[in-house]
CSV table of all heavy atoms in Angstrom, one decimal:
chain,number,residue,atom,x,y,z
C,126,ARG,N,3.9,-7.3,16.8
C,126,ARG,CA,4.3,-6.9,18.2
C,126,ARG,C,5.8,-7.0,18.3
C,126,ARG,O,6.4,-6.2,19.1
C,126,ARG,CB,3.6,-7.8,19.2
C,126,ARG,CG,2.1,-7.7,19.2
C,126,ARG,CD,1.4,-8.5,20.2
C,126,ARG,NE,-0.1,-8.3,20.2
C,126,ARG,CZ,-0.7,-7.3,20.8
C,126,ARG,NH1,0.0,-6.4,21.4
C,126,ARG,NH2,-2.0,-7.2,20.7
C,127,ALA,N,6.4,-7.9,17.7
C,127,ALA,CA,7.9,-8.0,17.8
C,127,ALA,C,8.5,-6.8,17.1
C,127,ALA,O,9.5,-6.2,17.6
C,127,ALA,CB,8.4,-9.3,17.1
C,128,LEU,N,8.0,-6.4,16.0
C,128,LEU,CA,8.5,-5.2,15.3
C,128,LEU,C,8.3,-4.0,16.2
C,128,LEU,O,9.2,-3.1,16.2
C,128,LEU,CB,7.8,-5.0,13.9
C,128,LEU,CG,8.1,-6.1,12.9
C,128,LEU,CD1,7.2,-5.8,11.7
C,128,LEU,CD2,9.6,-6.0,12.4
C,129,ALA,N,7.1,-3.9,16.8
C,129,ALA,CA,6.8,-2.7,17.6
C,129,ALA,C,7.7,-2.6,18.8
C,129,ALA,O,8.0,-1.5,19.3
C,129,ALA,CB,5.4,-2.8,18.0
C,130,ALA,N,8.1,-3.8,19.3
C,130,ALA,CA,8.9,-3.8,20.6
C,130,ALA,C,10.3,-3.1,20.4
C,130,ALA,O,10.9,-2.5,21.3
C,130,ALA,CB,9.2,-5.2,21.0
C,131,ASP,N,10.8,-3.0,19.2
C,131,ASP,CA,12.1,-2.4,18.9
C,131,ASP,C,12.0,-1.0,18.3
C,131,ASP,O,13.0,-0.4,17.9
C,131,ASP,CB,12.9,-3.3,17.9
C,131,ASP,CG,13.3,-4.6,18.5
C,131,ASP,OD1,13.6,-4.6,19.8
C,131,ASP,OD2,13.4,-5.6,17.8
C,132,GLN,N,10.8,-0.5,18.3
C,132,GLN,CA,10.6,0.8,17.6
C,132,GLN,C,11.1,2.0,18.5
C,132,GLN,O,10.9,1.9,19.7
C,132,GLN,CB,9.1,1.1,17.3
C,132,GLN,CG,8.9,2.4,16.6
C,132,GLN,CD,7.6,2.4,15.7
C,132,GLN,OE1,7.2,1.4,15.2
C,132,GLN,NE2,7.0,3.6,15.6
C,133,LEU,N,11.7,2.9,17.9
C,133,LEU,CA,12.2,4.1,18.6
C,133,LEU,C,11.7,5.4,17.8
C,133,LEU,O,11.8,5.4,16.6
C,133,LEU,CB,13.7,4.1,18.6
C,133,LEU,CG,14.4,3.1,19.5
C,133,LEU,CD1,15.9,3.1,19.3
C,133,LEU,CD2,14.0,3.3,21.0
C,134,PRO,N,11.1,6.3,18.6
C,134,PRO,CA,10.8,6.3,20.0
C,134,PRO,C,9.7,5.2,20.3
C,134,PRO,O,9.0,4.8,19.4
C,134,PRO,CB,10.3,7.7,20.3
C,134,PRO,CG,9.7,8.1,19.0
C,134,PRO,CD,10.6,7.6,17.9
C,135,PRO,N,9.7,4.7,21.5
C,135,PRO,CA,8.8,3.6,21.9
C,135,PRO,C,7.4,4.0,21.7
C,135,PRO,O,7.0,5.2,21.8
C,135,PRO,CB,9.1,3.4,23.4
C,135,PRO,CG,10.5,3.9,23.6
C,135,PRO,CD,10.6,5.1,22.7
C,136,ILE,N,6.5,3.0,21.4
C,136,ILE,CA,5.1,3.3,21.3
C,136,ILE,C,4.3,2.5,22.3
C,136,ILE,O,4.8,1.5,22.9
C,136,ILE,CB,4.5,2.9,19.9
C,136,ILE,CG1,4.8,1.4,19.6
C,136,ILE,CG2,5.2,3.8,18.8
C,136,ILE,CD1,4.2,1.0,18.2
C,137,ASP,N,3.1,3.0,22.7
C,137,ASP,CA,2.4,2.4,23.8
C,137,ASP,C,1.5,1.3,23.4
C,137,ASP,O,1.4,1.0,22.1
C,137,ASP,CB,1.6,3.4,24.6
C,137,ASP,CG,0.6,4.2,23.7
C,137,ASP,OD1,0.1,3.5,22.8
C,137,ASP,OD2,0.3,5.3,24.0
C,138,ASP,N,0.9,0.6,24.3
C,138,ASP,CA,0.1,-0.6,24.0
C,138,ASP,C,-1.1,-0.2,23.0
C,138,ASP,O,-1.4,-1.0,22.1
C,138,ASP,CB,-0.5,-1.2,25.2
C,138,ASP,CG,0.6,-1.9,26.1
C,138,ASP,OD1,1.7,-2.1,25.5
C,138,ASP,OD2,0.3,-2.1,27.3
C,139,ALA,N,-1.7,0.9,23.2
C,139,ALA,CA,-2.8,1.3,22.4
C,139,ALA,C,-2.4,1.5,20.9
C,139,ALA,O,-3.1,1.1,20.0
C,139,ALA,CB,-3.4,2.6,22.9
C,140,GLN,N,-1.2,2.1,20.7
C,140,GLN,CA,-0.7,2.2,19.4
C,140,GLN,C,-0.4,0.9,18.7
C,140,GLN,O,-0.6,0.7,17.5
C,140,GLN,CB,0.6,3.1,19.4
C,140,GLN,CG,0.3,4.6,19.8
C,140,GLN,CD,1.6,5.4,20.0
C,140,GLN,OE1,2.4,5.0,20.8
C,140,GLN,NE2,1.7,6.5,19.2
C,141,ILE,N,0.1,0.0,19.5
C,141,ILE,CA,0.4,-1.4,19.0
C,141,ILE,C,-0.9,-2.0,18.5
C,141,ILE,O,-1.0,-2.7,17.5
C,141,ILE,CB,1.2,-2.2,20.0
C,141,ILE,CG1,2.5,-1.6,20.3
C,141,ILE,CG2,1.3,-3.7,19.5
C,141,ILE,CD1,3.3,-2.3,21.4
C,142,GLU,N,-1.9,-1.9,19.4
C,142,GLU,CA,-3.2,-2.5,19.0
C,142,GLU,C,-3.8,-1.9,17.8
C,142,GLU,O,-4.3,-2.6,16.9
C,142,GLU,CB,-4.2,-2.3,20.2
C,142,GLU,CG,-3.9,-3.0,21.5
C,142,GLU,CD,-3.8,-4.6,21.3
C,142,GLU,OE1,-4.6,-5.1,20.4
C,142,GLU,OE2,-3.1,-5.2,22.0
C,143,GLU,N,-3.6,-0.5,17.6
C,143,GLU,CA,-4.1,0.1,16.4
C,143,GLU,C,-3.3,-0.3,15.2
C,143,GLU,O,-3.9,-0.5,14.1
C,143,GLU,CB,-3.9,1.7,16.6
C,143,GLU,CG,-4.9,2.3,17.5
C,143,GLU,CD,-4.7,3.8,17.6
C,143,GLU,OE1,-3.7,4.3,17.1
C,143,GLU,OE2,-5.6,4.5,18.1
C,144,ARG,N,-2.1,-0.6,15.4
C,144,ARG,CA,-1.2,-1.0,14.2
C,144,ARG,C,-1.7,-2.4,13.8
C,144,ARG,O,-1.8,-2.6,12.6
C,144,ARG,CB,0.2,-1.0,14.7
C,144,ARG,CG,1.2,-1.3,13.6
C,144,ARG,CD,2.6,-1.0,14.0
C,144,ARG,NE,2.8,0.4,14.2
C,144,ARG,CZ,4.0,1.0,14.5
C,144,ARG,NH1,5.1,0.2,14.6
C,144,ARG,NH2,4.1,2.3,14.7
C,145,TRP,N,-1.9,-3.3,14.7
C,145,TRP,CA,-2.3,-4.6,14.3
C,145,TRP,C,-3.7,-4.6,13.7
C,145,TRP,O,-4.0,-5.3,12.7
C,145,TRP,CB,-2.3,-5.6,15.5
C,145,TRP,CG,-2.9,-6.9,15.3
C,145,TRP,CD1,-3.9,-7.5,16.0
C,145,TRP,CD2,-2.6,-7.8,14.2
C,145,TRP,NE1,-4.2,-8.7,15.4
C,145,TRP,CE2,-3.4,-9.0,14.3
C,145,TRP,CE3,-1.6,-7.8,13.2
C,145,TRP,CZ2,-3.3,-10.0,13.5
C,145,TRP,CZ3,-1.6,-8.9,12.3
C,145,TRP,CH2,-2.4,-10.0,12.4
C,146,ALA,N,-4.6,-3.8,14.3
C,146,ALA,CA,-6.0,-3.7,13.7
C,146,ALA,C,-5.9,-3.2,12.3
C,146,ALA,O,-6.7,-3.7,11.4
C,146,ALA,CB,-6.8,-2.8,14.6
C,147,ALA,N,-5.0,-2.2,12.0
C,147,ALA,CA,-4.9,-1.7,10.7
C,147,ALA,C,-4.4,-2.8,9.7
C,147,ALA,O,-4.9,-2.8,8.6
C,147,ALA,CB,-4.0,-0.5,10.7
C,148,ARG,N,-3.5,-3.6,10.1
C,148,ARG,CA,-2.9,-4.6,9.3
C,148,ARG,C,-4.0,-5.7,9.0
C,148,ARG,O,-4.1,-6.2,7.9
C,148,ARG,CB,-1.7,-5.2,9.9
C,148,ARG,CG,-0.4,-4.4,9.6
C,148,ARG,CD,0.7,-4.8,10.5
C,148,ARG,NE,1.9,-4.0,10.2
C,148,ARG,CZ,2.1,-2.7,10.4
C,148,ARG,NH1,1.1,-2.0,10.8
C,148,ARG,NH2,3.3,-2.2,10.1
C,149,MET,N,-4.7,-6.1,10.0
C,149,MET,CA,-5.8,-7.1,9.8
C,149,MET,C,-6.8,-6.6,8.8
C,149,MET,O,-7.3,-7.3,7.9
C,149,MET,CB,-6.5,-7.4,11.1
C,149,MET,CG,-5.7,-8.3,12.0
C,149,MET,SD,-6.8,-9.0,13.3
C,149,MET,CE,-7.3,-7.5,14.2
C,150,GLU,N,-7.1,-5.3,8.9
C,150,GLU,CA,-8.1,-4.7,7.9
C,150,GLU,C,-7.6,-4.8,6.5
C,150,GLU,O,-8.3,-5.1,5.6
C,150,GLU,CB,-8.4,-3.3,8.4
C,150,GLU,CG,-9.5,-2.6,7.5
C,150,GLU,CD,-10.9,-3.2,7.7
C,150,GLU,OE1,-11.1,-3.8,8.7
C,150,GLU,OE2,-11.6,-3.2,6.7
C,151,ARG,N,-6.3,-4.4,6.4
C,151,ARG,CA,-5.7,-4.5,5.0
C,151,ARG,C,-5.6,-5.9,4.5
C,151,ARG,O,-5.8,-6.1,3.3
C,151,ARG,CB,-4.3,-3.8,5.1
C,151,ARG,CG,-4.3,-2.3,5.2
C,151,ARG,CD,-2.9,-1.8,5.3
C,151,ARG,NE,-2.1,-2.1,4.1
C,151,ARG,CZ,-0.9,-2.5,4.1
C,151,ARG,NH1,-0.2,-2.7,5.2
C,151,ARG,NH2,-0.3,-2.8,2.9
C,152,GLN,N,-5.3,-6.8,5.4
C,152,GLN,CA,-5.1,-8.2,5.0
C,152,GLN,C,-6.4,-8.8,4.4
C,152,GLN,O,-6.4,-9.8,3.7
C,152,GLN,CB,-4.6,-9.0,6.1
C,152,GLN,CG,-3.1,-8.7,6.4
C,152,GLN,CD,-2.6,-9.5,7.6
C,152,GLN,OE1,-3.2,-10.3,8.2
C,152,GLN,NE2,-1.4,-9.1,8.0
C,153,LYS,N,-7.6,-8.3,4.8
C,153,LYS,CA,-8.8,-8.8,4.2
C,153,LYS,C,-8.9,-8.7,2.7
C,153,LYS,O,-9.6,-9.4,2.0
C,153,LYS,CB,-10.0,-7.9,4.8
C,153,LYS,CG,-10.3,-8.1,6.3
C,153,LYS,CD,-11.4,-7.3,6.7
C,153,LYS,CE,-11.7,-7.4,8.2
C,153,LYS,NZ,-12.8,-6.5,8.7
Side-chain angles (χ1 to χ4, degrees):
R126 293 183 182 279
L128 292 173
D131 290 329
Q132 181 153 333
L133 292 173
I136 58 178
D137 59 32
D138 291 343
Q140 290 172 304
I141 295 174
E142 295 299 332
E143 287 183 346
R144 185 168 296 186
W145 170 236
R148 279 167 177 66
M149 283 196 297
E150 185 64 28
R151 288 179 58 222
Q152 288 176 7
K153 292 179 181 178

